[in-house]
Amino acid sequence: MPPWLTWVFGVAMITLESALLAATGWTVGGLMSGVGMAVLVGARRPFIVGAGIMGALLIPIEWISGVPGGLAAVGVVAVFLAVGTVRNRLPKRWGPTQVIVGTVLGSLYPLAIWLSATLVMPRSDISLAIVAESIPGLAGLAVFLAVGGACMGWLDSLFERTGASAPGAWS
Amino acid sequence: MLDRFGSYRGLIATGALVALVLALVAVAGGRGIGEDQPTSPGAWLRSGLAWIQTGEHGALAGIGGYLDIFSDADLVRENERLREEVDRLREEKARLIGVLQENARLRKLVGFKRRHNEYELAPARIVARDVSPYFRILTLKLKTDAALKPRMPVVVAGGVVGQIHRTYGSFADVVLVSDPRSRIDVISQRSRAHGVVKGLGHAEDYLAEISYLRRNDRVREGDVMVTSGMGGIFPPELVVGTVDSVTQRERGLFQKARLEPSVDYSRIEEVFVITGTK
């Protein structure tokens, strides 16, 4: 799948989650789709291409996540860079290993949010929210990675069959 | 030279990404509610995303409505009707108590201006929510062409929902009472004890905390807390919630209490923005 389509896929996933949460009234944890996209792009795209896609996804993630003052960007970039360090050791085929590794590395997101919120907005006490919501949030992330990873794998295979993502075509 | 540049491509990409993040933090970091307004191109792009969210929300609601045909749709509708009735009665009761107390105070304070039932209300529909587990934001779409401004109060029949954070086109982001950034000045309807409601970011129960309650103030479980009107954002006597528990401290000037918001934020679909007074 070309980088621009990966970006469209990411924006569609994030807006779909926010619309789904509004339509169902389900708020506990959510799916953390912004973090999920950082894991998917970090694990399934070459580092340079992935960095470009992440850079373009930062603003939509920042707007739709509702997290103030660039903190969501700090969190998702921390997760993306962490996934980049283990990318070459992961099996190529998307499966439970990637979901587990992605979920564990996704726990850097609340940590990064907590650290940066403490520095940037010390009066906003989010420690309790992070303690209460991180575990359901990471469970939601695992669900997103399983479903979103499978969707992205299917789209990638579609493009590979048509030759659009042949080696060297996009990266 | 190009080869040498190529070997550093990973580092350069990482540096660019980190620089972008630092720029975002530098531009928007530390800004409070209502202080983070998008620029014109930003508002245009954000409106585009909000239209996508509105379309997806409409499609999902349509699918949900279709599935209701095969489920307990009558029960859901009946439940919804009863919930609305409870909200209406609760609001009516709170308003009545507020009016009675106001009348009592009016006898003492000549020239006290009546402020109830005089709000200009702009209806809006909830189209999306934040995708972060720690902050509580709703995206609403206005049904009229009223001009929205940051920090305008957002309410429903049951009480206070929150305040407007960002506006873009006919959309706005609303910071809920239970968001960790939210601070609302409140008083107890029974004892007139004064405090500040601070969100805790809880998703399931949306609990909030009441700080700065004086130790000597008699606050107890079940007390209805209403906006005090101080601060100039929320008009007085709007219901915020009821006291869930009180923590008495042996030392210090203040006691703390947990507040259960009067509004179930997971179920609201339509809200009103108070755009002014008549």
Side-chain angles (χ1 to χ4, degrees), chain B residues 15 28 45 66 74 84 88 102 108-109 117 130 154 163 173 193 195 201 209 211 219 237 259 278:
Chain B
L45 286 171
Y66 179 73
D74 289 341
E84 281 169 13
R88 192 183 62 77
E102 187 191 16
K108 295 176 186 171
L109 301 169
N117 304 321
D130 62 279
V154 180
Q163 54 190 301
D173 286 341
E209 188 178 80
S211 306
V219 179
E237 302 298 336
L259 179 107
K278 288 176 186 169

Side-chain angles (χ1 to χ4, degrees), chain A residues 15-16 18 25 110 123 133-134, chain B residues 53 56 129 134 183 203 266:
Chain A
T15 52
L16 188 64
S18 74
R123 285 185 64 212
E133 303 299 331
S134 286
Chain B
Q53 288 170 295
E56 287 171 340
R129 286 174 185 268
Y134 316 118
R183 303 281 187 277
S266 65

